[in-house]
Amino acid sequence: MKEKGISTYALINKHHISSSTINRLRHNQGVTTQMIDDLCTILDCNVEDILKYEKSDNK
């Protein structure tokens, strides 16, 4: 977001991303694939620019 000059305020007010979704992202909780797509569109980036896969020890 810093690289693109987009603030949390802009995500909430200009792009209509809910504050609860912002909170979920900050706390590494799940979001929908639609939300990931929306964020990539807003930030003009690829999925791998905002996501990192880490294998879990749990099955």
Side-chain angles (χ1 to χ4, degrees):
M1 288 174 42
K2 262 186 194 178
E3 288 179 20
K4 300 294 181 170
I6 297 178
S7 66
T8 301
Y9 180 85
L11 286 178
I12 293 169
N13 292 296
K14 182 178 178 184
H15 301 287
H16 308 290
I17 305 295
S18 72
S19 57
S20 62
T21 297
I22 302 293
N23 188 55
R24 293 183 68 74
L25 290 166
R26 285 186 173 153
H27 292 94
N28 295 319
Q29 296 176 340
V31 293
T32 65
T33 53
Q34 181 61 53
M35 180 53 56
I36 294 167
D37 183 60
D38 292 345
L39 289 171
C40 287
T41 300
I42 293 165
L43 298 172
D44 188 31
C45 66
N46 296 316
V47 172
E48 58 270 15
D49 295 332
I50 61 172
L51 292 178
K52 177 182 172 185
Y53 175 76
E54 293 182 2
K55 190 173 182 177
S56 175
D57 291 336
N58 300 332
K59 290 187 175 191

